[in-house]
Amino acid sequence: MSKLFITDLDHTFLRSDLSISSYSVEIWNKKAQNTYMSVATARSFLKSQELLSQLHINAPMILLDGAMIISPEKKIISIKTLHKDIADDIVQVGSSFGIDPFIIGLNSLDSLDEKFLYPRRLNEHQKHVLKGYKNDPRMQFNPNNLAMNENLKIVYFGSKEQLEPLSYELQKLFGKEIECKLSPEKYGGGWFLTLLHPDGDKAHALKEVVSYLKISSQDMTVFGDSINDIGMFELAGNSIAVANALDEVKKVATHILPHSNDEDGVARYLVSTL
């Protein structure tokens, strides 16, 4: 196999209720019989495994916005973390703006034992996000607002008016020490600000996947809808925006689909390549 098809999940391949239609499952698995198929998502390994249980994934998965790459055999290929000192500094800056983050990290770099830390102080946007994580074993109360030893990503949820100045301040203070992305959150409204290792974004991860599979970037087709997909679009020979993608994403896409994520846009495109 010399070609790779890799898709974002939320608002791209997944429907808005986080389901995958039987049609999309059928087309995906048929395509995977002779082509590399995988995902590039902001979601964690455990949640991705749960959502994608019906799909045959035969190429490395890009997870947590690019902070982690996992092989089809569930082995860690690459991991990029923010160490505790810089992560605690980031959290402190956020506190000075009146907002505390969610922190996703690992107990050990040798395992997939994820932890999702949530703070004592929660705004309405954060409360909405937490509703989707009830009874999740990864959840851990973080009353002292401290980072882990190895942090995969730090995420602030709030209004654009609150997060935009925080994003500016963090970029001014930390510069190239971090990757900083501010994007709208489509499910619950509001915005989210994601802080990663400077090489922990989807674009850097995709370069590693290309090297791992020994294929050309021109032999990749990527699908996406949001800001964190733009770097991948600029790398791939073929970049596909779903109909519901942000305008910023459509501007850099080689193709814009007439169908949205809720209309099986990715699967409909894949049919044309079978």
Side-chain angles (χ1 to χ4, degrees), residues 18-34:
L18 305 185
S19 68
I20 302 173
S21 72
S22 58
Y23 173 75
S24 286
V25 171
E26 177 188 356
I27 299 304
W28 176 289
N29 289 339
K30 185 177 295 186
K31 186 70 177 175
Q33 291 174 12
N34 54 22

Side-chain angles (χ1 to χ4, degrees), residues 41-71:
T41 177
R43 290 188 176 273
S44 71
F45 173 73
L46 292 178
K47 191 63 179 179
S48 296
Q49 287 289 103
E50 175 187 328
L51 292 169
L52 306 176
S53 60
Q54 301 177 76
L55 300 184
H56 178 46
I57 294 174
N58 58 8
M61 300 171 65
I62 296 173
L63 305 170
L64 293 164
D65 284 306
M68 182 184 289
I69 305 173
I70 302 295
S71 76

